[in-house]
Amino acid sequence: MILTINCGSSSLKYKLYPSDLSDVLAQGLIERISAANASCSHEARGQKVRLTPNLLDQLSAFELMVSNRTDPEIGVIASLEAVTGIGHRLVHGGTEFTGSIVVGNDAMERLRKCAWLAPLHNPACIAGIDLARDLIPNAPNVAVFDTAFHQTLPAKAHTYALPYELCTDHGIRRFGFHGISCQFVSRVAAQVLSRPIEDLSMVVCHLGNGVTIDAVQGGRSVDTSLGFGTFSGIPMGTRSGDFDPAIVFHLVKTLGMSIEDVEKMCYTQSGLLGLSGLSNDMREILAAASNGDTRCSLALDSFVYSIRKTIGAYAAAMNGLDVLVFTAGIGENSATIRSRICSRLGVLGIAIDERTNEIAGPELPNITAADASVTTLVIPTDEERMIATEVRTLMSRHQSAA
Ligand code: ADP
């Protein structure tokens, strides 16, 4: 069986798959680790249980995950021996990791050197690998990186026009994120169309709390909207998206803000929340805008407009477009946002069937209008399944090499 683990600074998400990935045997989410109100939801054998455990730290969360899995009532396996591979999501692998890896001692050292790249996420993931190696010692660990899919970006797309040596000496470049999701949905899109991925130019719109627009040509990421950090491109839930760096100088030099306050503002007080003054949650913004809230209407206009511009830019970058894919919380669930984005992209050959758009879902992914030359799809993302697929691929490569 394959176990996937996604460790955040205060959360732990896990899924257990049979080795052929034909099903999900168990899954759970442990939240608010170390806080008084820690909670855990665990689902297996068609039953969902909610626990309110006392979790001092990540180790106790791990122990809870292990005991849930082997519990005679809510568990699915008699012993951890049944786990044959563990996949870990790592947010940032920098330029060091261009693909998934089986983690041995050397790799562990290389991973630790990448911790600084995502200080809120990487240390928790690395600690998670340490714990998995201790608690489930028989199973190999595979690290899967959100940045790896974008390592194929050509230099013209990943290099910033800053002093060249400064960038190369200090690893400053566009990294891109949400790569696991973009890789997964682009593969599924090709399967849905029964076309070789090598023949397709796609734009993937991963629209969740974080947003990535990704140009995927021949199955390789060739441009992407997030950059060195996780706030460029499109306005997100609380992150600003693109803005002129001159504003930072103005805020610091003229208004006297500290650089820490500017950073906090860009990451936590901007985007949909900053524009609307109401919420970072798209459902609330849509509801308020339809009740006449002008700030929420502006947040929607700005969100949709910047996505539309980026789709146009990437169609130009790839010299054409075959497929447009919507995924993640907003992309999968909001017919209104999909419709607004596509409504003025006729110039690219994009048009959607509004009736199908309203009822799109896993059984009905294709929302393309009859006269459109670009196919538009709605594809639910499944990062855990992509991670489990990587574990399977690496383990079979590992076994045939051995
Ligand atoms: P995360 O990046 O945290 O994984 P998700 O992919 O879960 O985020 O997406 C969260 C976003 O999806 C939120 O803005 C939420 O409002 C939005 N969302 C979820 N369901 C709907 C819906 N039915 N209509 C509009 N937006 C939705």
Side-chain angles (χ1 to χ4, degrees), residues 208-210 280-283 286 328-330 333-334:
N209 257 322
N280 63 334
D281 189 307
M282 184 53 92
R283 287 163 290 201
L286 282 163
I330 301 169
N333 297 303
S334 177

Side-chain angles (χ1 to χ4, degrees), residues 27-216:
Q27 57 185 312
L29 172 63
I30 301 174
E31 290 180 287
R32 296 181 293 275
I33 298 169
S34 310
N37 58 346
S39 77
C40 168
S41 64
H42 175 85
E43 216 176 319
R45 300 184 189 167
Q47 284 188 58
K48 201 167 186 173
V49 287
R50 276 201 163 274
L51 310 166
T52 42
N54 187 9
L55 297 175
L56 296 176
D57 52 19
Q58 212 183 17
L59 171 62
S60 19
F62 250 77
E63 286 170 342
L64 176 67
M65 170 184 75
V66 166
S67 67
N68 282 349
R69 206 92 43 55
T70 50
D71 183 279
E73 280 182 21
I74 59 170
V76 284
I77 48 178
S79 105
L80 288 173
E81 300 282 308
V83 176
T84 50
I86 306 172
H88 299 261
R89 179 202 192 156
L90 268 107
V91 169
H92 209 321
T95 46
E96 180 76 17
F97 296 102
T98 55
S100 308
I101 51 152
V102 178
V103 183
N105 291 339
D106 285 355
M108 215 54 218
E109 284 315 303
R110 287 166 64 210
L111 283 173
R112 288 190 216 287
K113 285 189 190 139
C114 287
W116 70 274
L117 286 163
L120 293 180
H121 298 101
N122 274 7
C125 301
I126 294 166
I129 302 178
D130 272 331
L131 286 170
R133 293 176 91 203
D134 281 351
L135 296 175
I136 317 174
N138 60 307
N141 289 273
V142 171
V144 183
F145 300 90
D146 244 335
T147 45
F149 185 55
H150 305 300
Q151 285 291 305
T152 49
L153 254 58
K156 64 187 172 201
H158 74 63
T159 312
Y160 291 113
L162 295 169
Y164 185 76
E165 287 78 14
L166 181 84
C167 294
T168 50
D169 289 352
H170 298 283
I172 295 169
R173 53 164 282 168
R174 183 185 296 280
F175 287 108
F177 298 87
H178 299 122
I180 300 170
S181 170
C182 292
Q183 185 174 22
F184 178 79
V185 297
S186 55
R187 282 188 190 182
V188 175
Q191 283 161 10
V192 166
L193 299 175
S194 303
R195 301 260 316 266
I197 198 165
E198 293 73 21
D199 294 351
L200 297 171
S201 294
M202 301 189 199
V203 170
V204 173
C205 300
H206 174 109
L207 313 180
N209 257 322
V211 173
T212 279
I213 312 296
D214 197 23
V216 183

